[in-house]
């Protein structure tokens, strides 16, 4: 059977067709009819069914679990008991400490319907604006940037604008990895129109930057200076559209005066790039008949994120390149439904349908719509403030849904302290295996992707109907149902009202109320219904009553939703980063994404093959910075910031300028010792958007002298071994716990001891062998006590099932490959019983996998390129990059490098 739905990962919002037998999801493919992807999927979307295998499902959160005391263990309870208990706790907090003593922290990965009822629960029923979301960490600077300039939070563009652009400016976005299917479209557009210019602004030479005609590797946090200088050049060279400015904007003269100082030379100094390159970028942008900019977290996650956004929007307003095909400032949304959350006003300072909390008329409209006396006027707490308030003891009951703040917020030590002392924490999750789950007093099992329905809106304002294919496991329930059930129980405990605010029996009933709230607003979907979405497919808002198709582009008439109808130029001055480097913290820490992982890895992390592109947690460093510190490739290093420190392996990277480092955000406390990279990031945030500066911190890196290393690896056919081994992460100076393999899953525990730490005793090795299920009578064991070497191997059914190595870890890759592929074990004995034998191997270790669809490794690709194959021949030989295409940018990069002779 087949069910149409969407991919639950990024904001591209690809349509998927779920293949299933009504009980189990068996496969997934791209929906050829969906206008976001036309059948394409990336590595993450294309492996969704592997995140729902019986082994994974067995680990899902199935029943509500409650702990009555902080020190007690959680026990299984019924939904009735769980929700009555929660309603009791919330009602008591509200009556004793007022409505603002409770808070909700929700997510851009919820459906619009889920989001709508959460917002109504807080602002309508309880009377608190304390409902904020992980979108605060993600899109809030885009919201405030659009509102400050265009008057409303409405991305004016469509994906099809990519096909019409003559100049594409990608800023602070690694689209090749974070929005891969959109990047495929960019590649197609460039192939069709080779004159199209691609400019990428990113401190790192990402795969996106590598593909550019011009890469501006600016110093972190210097975007405003760059865009101001580009505007300076546009003015100087007469490339502005003065008629457009006069007719449709206001505030230009002040900005013109401001950018007078931003000469290319001055900006070049601030940004650390060549003045000529700034001039070239401005000329390409200005001379192009159509220019489109795409941007994301490199601009948003900044203590001046609102101005970063405004500065790039200014370029479009000043040249009139907005509201026309191929033109406009296009903020890419990260999460699948960050847009839907913005539409229903799901942030602590927003109201439904782009209404303003500060506007009394808007508040009255919302109160009328909901049938309540009023909605509170004061903005609620934003994400970082919210957890600070929890820390101060002001929040007595906290409800978290569909997000993992114990990993994703900055300054995690404080967040963990706050969560630990919060009197009552509810977590609504699909997985009990997240860092936040540890702190939950009440865990509520939610239905996940493929199991729930509703609607989502992607980056281009396109609403898609999401459908369930299979029932949720155990007693898990759809998020909106949990909220509605809880809300009714809370209503019964609050001062009586005539009728329930939550009469919904279906997701559609919620959608219809949301639709009614939008009528007359800029995002009006008065003409949209579940039925229309079924009949005509996904639609872009606005879609007013009487219309049958959505609107692909906004502001074509030059009229903007501001008081005067004109767009506004704002005052964007360059400002320094919140945390400057200093002699004790001389390196700059940048954080972001990997190609094949999603945030806290609760879903991508369970798919073995999605580990293959970046198999181990690591910090990327410039080779010179490593050399200066005596750090070699793969060494363990201590990364120290002003708020915390973690250990990681070092990886040399030529994508980074000196003094720059990069650590992915994905590795949290379930995959490595310590809290992950957000132990080091800072809570400083933008004064308007309150989005924290997650991309910039000052750090030091030192080599960590290790005494010994240990690796345990075990095939996990039943599932559950990864979770079972997690307590081991805390038992060593440093450890990581990852997956490897492809058809079969192998769990890999790597552990290190410092130079003064004693080599693991035989008892500890025995305990670990037992924990990994290696200790059977068939286990082969070799010990060389003098050298501190120990080796264990378990062969079952003539296949190597697992191994444990202490102080002789050179064979790790070889053994991992044997375990994963079930290969021959003939040479194993010989190697095992010879203390210093080099591991037999037919060639170099396969190492990381570049092409995930066809399992092609970097070493194989390099060997073929060195043998003289070009990209086309390479693809003919092993098909790499011919399916989902996520690895194409990297293949091109590898191929280009191979043809350039190494400098003497
Ligand atoms: N594979 C994958 N894809 C994802 C996600 C995922 O977890 N994994 N998450 C989704 C989500 S929620 C989001 S928000 C998006 C994020 O999508 P992106 O924003 O594209 O991804 P990031 O890697 O966070 O950051 C983008 C780039 O910003 C650069 N940057 C850092 N500082 C600066 C600066 O000062 N100026 C400029 N111009 N650039 C800077 C970084 O070097 C990085 O390459 O991805 C979405 N897609
Ligand atoms: N250092 C650093 N930190 C960052 C960032 C960065 O670039 N650098 N990026 C920030 C950004 S942009 C974002 S968006 C955040 C993301 O951070 P989080 O929101 O914390 O990340 P996720 O791991 O996606 O968390 C979503 C959780 O919801 C659960 N879930 C999935 N589907 C459902 C469902 O249908 N219902 C329910 N109830 N639960 C479900 C998943 O198991 C998962 O644990 O991280 C932010 N943190
Ligand atoms: S680009 Fe990949 S992650 Fe994003 S929606 Fe499409 S398939 Fe999902
Ligand atoms: Mo995000």
């Amino acid at each position: 059977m087949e069910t149409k739905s969407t991919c639950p990962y990024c904001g591209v919002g690809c349509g998927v067709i779920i293949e299933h037998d009504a009980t189990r999801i068996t496969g997934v493919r791209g929906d050829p009819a969906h206008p976001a992807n036309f059948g394409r999927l990336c590595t993450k979307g294309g492996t969704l069914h592997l995140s729902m295998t019986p082994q994974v499902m067995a680990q899902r959160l199935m029943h509500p679990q409650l702990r009555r005391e902080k020190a007690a263990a959680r026990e299984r309870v019924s939904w009735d008991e769980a929700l009555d208990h929660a309603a009791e706790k919330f009602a008591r907090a509200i009556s004793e400490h007022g409505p603002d003593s409770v808070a909700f922290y929700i997510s851009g990965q919820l459906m619009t319907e889920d989001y709508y009822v959460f917002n109504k629960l807080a602002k309508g029923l309880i009377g608190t604006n304390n409902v904020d979301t992980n979108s605060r960490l993600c899109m809030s600077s885009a919201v405030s940037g659009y509102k400050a300039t265009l008057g409303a939070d409405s991305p004016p563009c469509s994906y099809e604008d990519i096909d019409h652009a003559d100049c594409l400016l990608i800023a602070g976005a690694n689209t090749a990895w974070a929005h891969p299917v959109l990047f495929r479209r960019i590649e197609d557009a460039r192939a069709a129109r080779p004159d199209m210019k691609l400019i990428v602004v990113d401190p790192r030479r990402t795969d996106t930057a590598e593909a550019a005609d011009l890469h501006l590797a600016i110093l972190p946090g210097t975007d405003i200076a760059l865009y101001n200088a580009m505007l300076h050049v546009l003015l100087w060279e007469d490339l502005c559209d003065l008629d457009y400015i006069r007719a449709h904007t206001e505030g230009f003269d002040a900005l013109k005066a401001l950018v007078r100082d931003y000469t290319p030379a001055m900006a070049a100094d601030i940004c650390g790039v060549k003045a000529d390159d700034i001039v070239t970028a401005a000329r390409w942008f200005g001379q192009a008949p159509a220019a489109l900019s795409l941007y994301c977290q490199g601009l948003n996650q900044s203590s001046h994120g609102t101005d970063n956004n405004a500065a790039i929007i200014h370029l479009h307003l000043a040249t009139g390149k907005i509201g026309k095909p191929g033109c406009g400032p296009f903020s890419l949304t990260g999460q699948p439904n960050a847009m839907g959350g913005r539409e229903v006003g799901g942030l602590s300072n927003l109201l439904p349908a782009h209404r303003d909390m500060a506007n009394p008329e808007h508040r009255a409209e919302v109160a009328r719509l909901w049938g309540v006396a009023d909605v509170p006027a004061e903005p609620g707490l934003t994400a970082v403030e919210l957890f600070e308030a929890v820390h101060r003891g002001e929040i007595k009951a906290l409800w978290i849904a569909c997000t993992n703040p114990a990993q994703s917020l900055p300054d995690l030590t404080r967040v963990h302290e706050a969560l630990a002392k919060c009197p009552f924490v509810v977590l609504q999750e699909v997985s009990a295996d997240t860092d936040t789950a540890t702190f939950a007093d009440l865990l509520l099992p939610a239905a996940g992707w493929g199991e729930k329905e509703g609607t989502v809106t992607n980056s281009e304002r396109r609403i898609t109907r999401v459908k369930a294919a299979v029932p949720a496991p155990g007693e898990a329930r759809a998020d909106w149902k949990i909220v509605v059930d809880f809300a009714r129980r809370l209503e019964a405990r609050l001062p009586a009202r005539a009728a329930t605010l939550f009469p919904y029996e279906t997701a559609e009933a919620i959608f219809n109320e949301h639709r009614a709230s939008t009528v007359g607003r800029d995002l009006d979907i008065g003409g949209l219904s579940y039925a229309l979405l079924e009949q005509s497919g996904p639609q872009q808002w606005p879609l007013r009553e009487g219309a049958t198709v959505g609107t692909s582009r906004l502001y074509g008439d030059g009229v903007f939703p501001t008081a005067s109808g004109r767009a506004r130029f704002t005052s964007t001055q360059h400002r320094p980063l919140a945390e400057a480097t200093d002699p004790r913290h001389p390196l700059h820490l940048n954080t972001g994404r990997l190609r094949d992982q999603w945030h806290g890895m609760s879903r991508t992390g369970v798919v073995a093959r999605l580990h293959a592109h970046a198999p181990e947690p690591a910090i990327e460093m410039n080779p010179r910075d490593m050399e200066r510190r005596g750090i070699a490739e793969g060494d363990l290093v201590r990364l120290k910031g002003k708020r915390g420190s973690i250990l990681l392996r070092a990886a040399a990277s030529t994508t980074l300028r000196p003094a720059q480092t990069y650590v992915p955000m994905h590795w949290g406390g379930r995959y490595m010792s310590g809290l992950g990279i957000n132990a080091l990031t800072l809570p400083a945030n933008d004064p308007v958007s309150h989005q924290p500066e997650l991309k910039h911190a000052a750090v030091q890196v030192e080599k960590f002298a290790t005494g010994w290393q240990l690796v345990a690896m075990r095939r996990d056919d039943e599932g559950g071994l990864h979770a079972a081994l997690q307590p081991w992460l805390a038992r060593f100076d440093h450890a990581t716990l990852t997956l490897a393999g492809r058809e079969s899953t192998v769990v890999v525990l790597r552990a290190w001891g410092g130079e003064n730490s004693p080599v693991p005793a035989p008892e500890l090795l025995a305990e670990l062998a037992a924990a990994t299920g290696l200790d059977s009578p068939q286990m082969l064991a070799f010990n060389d006590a003098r050298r501190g070497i120990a080796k264990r191997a378990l062969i079952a059914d003539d296949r190597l099932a697992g191994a444990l190595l202490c102080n002789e870890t050179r064979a790790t890759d070889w053994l991992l490959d044997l375990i994963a592929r079930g290969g021959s074990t003939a040479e194993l004995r010989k190697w095992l019983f010879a203390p210093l034998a080099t591991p037999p191997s037919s060639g170099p270790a396969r190492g990381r996998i570049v092409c995930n669809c066809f399992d092609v490794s970097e070493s194989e690709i390099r060997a073929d390129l060195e043998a003289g194959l070009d990209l086309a021949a390479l693809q003919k030989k092993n098909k790499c990059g011919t399916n989902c295409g996520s690895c194409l940018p990297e293949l091109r990069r590898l191929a280009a490098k191979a043809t350039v002779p190494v400098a003497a």
Side-chain angles (χ1 to χ4, degrees):
M1 280 188 268
E2 294 186 342
T3 304
K4 280 197 176 197
S5 193
T6 56
C7 172
Y9 296 124
C10 86
V12 177
C14 296
V16 301
I17 295 173
I18 304 175
E19 299 158 6
H20 61 95
D21 62 10
T23 57
R24 263 190 59 195
I25 290 178
T26 49
V28 64
R29 60 179 204 277
D31 179 356
H34 198 290
N37 57 320
F38 299 107
R40 283 173 163 159
L41 294 177
C42 75
T43 44
K44 296 180 297 301
T47 49
L48 269 166
H49 58 295
L50 299 177
S51 70
M52 309 269 292
T53 60
Q55 288 84 343
V56 175
M57 294 303 282
Q59 304 304 312
R60 277 277 294 273
L61 181 59
M62 302 274 193
H63 313 283
Q65 292 175 21
L66 175 69
R67 85 178 158 205
R68 290 168 217 274
E69 308 281 332
K70 286 281 173 199
R74 273 191 295 258
E75 51 189 278
R76 178 177 169 180
V77 291
S78 69
W79 272 106
D80 276 337
E81 185 177 356
L83 294 180
D84 278 335
H85 184 91
E88 207 54 56
K89 289 274 186 190
F90 272 69
R92 195 170 324 140
I94 294 163
S95 76
E96 287 174 12
H97 306 278
D100 289 336
S101 69
V102 303
F104 297 85
Y105 185 63
I106 60 177
S107 165
Q109 294 170 62
L110 290 167
M111 308 272 137
T112 302
E113 291 77 357
D114 305 328
Y115 237 124
Y116 186 88
V117 287
F118 261 121
N119 205 37
K120 187 174 182 181
L121 166 62
K123 294 171 186 166
L125 175 64
I126 300 174
T128 178
N129 285 327
N130 286 344
V131 50
D132 216 48
T133 95
N134 60 1
S135 283
R136 185 69 64 186
L137 317 177
C138 180
M139 301 314 303
S140 60
S141 296
V143 174
S144 54
Y146 275 137
K147 285 173 84 167
T149 52
L150 308 183
D153 173 26
S154 306
C157 314
S158 282
Y159 296 154
E160 66 183 37
D161 285 318
I162 289 169
D163 312 338
H164 303 295
D166 302 289
C167 174
L168 196 58
L169 172 62
I170 301 183
N174 184 10
T175 320
W177 284 14
H179 296 93
V181 167
L182 204 61
F183 201 72
R184 301 284 82 74
R185 189 158 185 163
I186 294 171
E187 289 168 344
D188 289 351
R190 295 178 82 200
R193 305 169 69 228
D195 290 341
M196 174 176 169
K197 296 286 189 222
L198 175 62
I199 307 167
V200 173
V201 184
D202 194 310
R204 296 190 300 144
R205 194 163 180 85
T206 58
D207 278 356
T208 311
E210 187 70 42
D213 298 299
L214 176 62
H215 172 208
L216 291 158
I218 60 167
L219 292 170
T222 63
D223 290 85
I224 295 174
L226 173 67
Y227 311 131
N228 281 358
M230 283 173 69
L231 185 56
H232 177 107
V233 177
L234 290 170
L235 274 163
W236 188 254
E237 305 204 349
D238 217 7
L239 291 167
C240 288
D241 185 341
L242 298 177
D243 290 340
Y244 189 90
I245 293 171
R246 224 171 287 126
H248 303 297
T249 71
E250 59 196 22
F252 189 63
D253 288 343
L255 182 63
K256 192 173 158 185
L258 186 152
V259 302
R260 196 166 293 145
D261 294 340
Y262 286 84
T263 60
M266 180 257 211
D269 222 35
I270 294 175
C271 301
V273 296
K274 286 194 217 127
D276 282 352
D277 286 347
I278 299 178
V279 174
T280 304
R283 284 187 187 146
W284 284 357
F285 189 97
Q287 287 163 359
L292 182 71
S293 51
L294 303 175
Y295 45 95
C296 204
Q297 298 316 327
L299 299 197
N300 293 353
Q301 286 169 343
S302 155
S303 57
H304 43 259
T306 305
D307 284 353
N308 283 343
N309 275 264
I312 210 164
I313 294 170
H314 288 162
L315 299 177
H316 291 275
L317 291 174
T319 55
K321 295 192 205 302
I322 180 169
K324 300 177 201 155
C327 289
F330 195 175
S331 153
L332 297 176
T333 46
Q335 299 179 91
N337 198 31
M339 288 287 286
R342 289 148 72 175
E343 287 153 30
V344 303
L347 283 167
S348 65
N349 57 327
L350 304 178
L351 284 178
H354 291 177
R355 288 183 176 84
D356 279 326
M357 201 168 268
N359 182 328
E361 266 169 49
H362 284 182
R363 288 201 306 277
E365 279 169 24
V366 173
R368 235 184 347 263
L369 182 83
W370 283 345
V372 296
D374 50 36
V375 291
E378 280 299 302
L381 298 164
T382 62
V384 171
E385 293 167 349
L386 169 56
F387 283 82
E388 272 303 316
V390 174
H391 204 284
R392 287 193 303 272
E394 291 164 17
I395 302 296
K396 310 296 177 195
L398 173 64
W399 191 298
I400 302 168
C402 200
T403 177
N404 182 16
Q407 178 172 347
S408 52
L409 282 169
D411 196 6
L412 276 184
T413 308
R414 274 199 73 81
V415 173
H416 282 225
E417 284 168 10
L419 282 166
K421 63 188 196 187
C422 183
F424 187 57
V425 179
V426 183
L427 177 64
Q428 191 171 320
E429 250 289 352
V430 299
S431 163
D433 190 18
T434 74
D435 288 353
T436 306
T438 315
F439 298 99
D441 298 295
L442 179 61
L443 267 177
L444 298 176
W449 173 81
E451 302 159 354
K452 59 187 286 194
E453 65 156 351
T455 51
V456 295
T457 311
N458 73 2
S459 291
E460 57 164 2
R461 291 173 283 107
R462 190 180 295 279
I463 301 174
T464 303
R465 178 103 163 80
V466 173
K467 290 217 200 138
V470 294
E475 294 176 0
R477 291 185 183 175
D479 287 290
W480 70 265
K481 283 193 181 159
I482 301 174
V483 180
V484 167
D485 194 350
F486 168 73
R488 289 178 187 164
R489 289 169 204 256
L490 186 61
E491 265 177 334
R493 288 168 171 83
L494 295 178
R497 65 176 69 241
T500 175
L501 298 182
F502 299 88
Y504 322 104
E505 295 301 329
T506 60
E508 188 171 12
I510 303 172
F511 177 84
N512 291 345
E513 186 174 312
H514 160 58
R515 172 181 61 199
S517 80
T518 66
V519 172
R521 308 285 309 157
D522 71 318
L523 72 170
D524 192 331
I525 49 165
L528 196 65
S529 63
Y530 273 19
L532 184 78
L533 288 170
E534 300 268 336
Q535 272 157 29
S536 312
Q539 299 295 332
Q540 288 175 283
W541 58 252
L543 190 155
R544 299 190 177 85
E545 177 125 46
T548 50
V549 289
T551 314
S552 58
R553 203 166 293 111
L554 305 180
Y555 312 135
D557 56 2
V559 178
F560 293 86
T562 56
S564 61
R566 291 163 175 272
R568 293 181 287 247
F569 289 98
T570 66
S571 163
T572 46
Q573 281 283 16
H574 166 71
R575 271 172 285 145
L577 295 172
E579 182 168 278
T581 51
D582 60 42
R584 289 183 52 221
H585 305 93
L587 301 177
H588 181 272
L589 171 69
N590 177 359
T591 71
R593 280 146 183 89
L594 291 170
R595 192 191 74 187
D596 292 353
Q597 293 294 355
W598 178 262
H599 300 164
M601 297 169 68
S602 67
R603 289 172 295 163
T604 47
V606 301
V607 180
R609 70 179 63 170
L610 291 180
H611 288 253
H613 191 238
E616 281 185 75
I619 175 170
E620 290 179 28
M621 296 181 70
N622 179 282
R624 279 204 344 240
D625 291 325
M626 286 172 65
E627 207 178 305
R628 197 168 299 149
R629 290 167 175 76
I631 299 166
E633 180 75 18
D635 277 356
L636 210 55
V637 297
R638 183 175 294 285
L639 173 61
K640 272 202 277 198
K642 295 187 185 170
R643 288 152 298 279
S645 84
I646 53 172
L647 295 179
L648 282 169
R649 290 183 93 164
S653 173
T654 51
T655 65
L656 295 165
R657 299 170 63 140
Q660 307 285 322
T661 69
Y662 182 77
V663 180
M665 65 175 291
H666 309 290
W667 313 105
R670 308 272 144 172
Y671 291 88
M672 58 181 272
S673 339
L675 305 183
I677 195 55
N678 282 328
L680 287 88
T681 51
L682 58 156
N685 54 65
D686 179 277
V688 184
S689 72
H690 297 282
Q691 180 158 353
E693 190 148 82
L694 287 160
K695 291 257 179 287
H696 312 291
V699 295
Q700 172 59 302
V701 174
E702 288 160 3
K703 185 171 165 150
F704 180 83
T706 51
W708 52 264
Q709 192 192 348
L710 175 154
V711 184
M713 26 196 169
R714 177 73 164 98
R715 203 172 64 228
D716 183 24
D717 296 330
E718 265 94 66
L721 184 59
H722 188 272
L725 290 179
Q726 277 165 15
W728 286 85
L729 288 172
R731 296 187 56 172
F732 306 101
D733 286 329
H734 182 62
T736 63
L737 187 58
T738 55
L739 301 188
R742 190 170 171 83
E743 301 314 327
S744 54
T745 295
V746 186
V747 177
V748 190
L749 175 76
R750 292 179 167 87
W752 290 262
E755 54 189 345
N756 298 321
S757 136
V759 178
E763 296 74 30
L764 184 117
L765 295 180
E767 199 192 333
L768 184 55
T772 42
L774 289 171
D775 67 340
S776 86
Q778 286 93 31
M779 182 176 81
L780 303 172
F782 170 83
N783 291 310
D784 179 342
R786 198 169 53 83
R787 293 191 178 90
I789 292 176
K791 305 182 200 174
R792 307 277 182 273
L794 177 67
I795 297 166
D797 301 329
D798 264 354
R799 289 181 60 178
L800 182 61
L804 174 63
L805 307 176
C806 187
N807 268 340
E808 209 331 19
T809 52
R810 289 174 301 164
T812 306
D813 281 350
W814 170 57
L815 294 177
L816 257 184
D817 209 40
L818 273 185
I819 299 170
R821 293 175 177 229
S824 131
T825 52
E827 289 166 295
L828 197 62
R829 263 167 195 282
K830 211 168 95 207
W831 167 81
L832 190 75
F833 294 108
L836 294 177
T838 325
S841 95
S842 42
R846 289 192 81 219
R848 50 195 288 283
I849 302 299
V850 172
C851 173
N852 218 318
C853 297
F854 296 108
D855 193 23
V856 188
S857 75
E858 179 176 355
S859 54
E860 288 150 6
I861 292 165
R862 283 191 190 280
D864 280 341
L865 289 169
E866 267 155 39
L869 265 57
D870 64 6
L871 185 57
L874 190 68
Q875 293 195 306
K876 205 161 165 215
K877 183 178 164 200
N878 57 26
K879 304 216 275 209
C880 52
T882 58
N883 181 40
C884 86
S886 292
C887 64
L888 271 174
E890 188 171 353
L891 289 175
R892 294 212 178 90
R893 170 162 57 80
L894 291 170
K897 287 269 159 61
T899 55
V900 178
V902 182

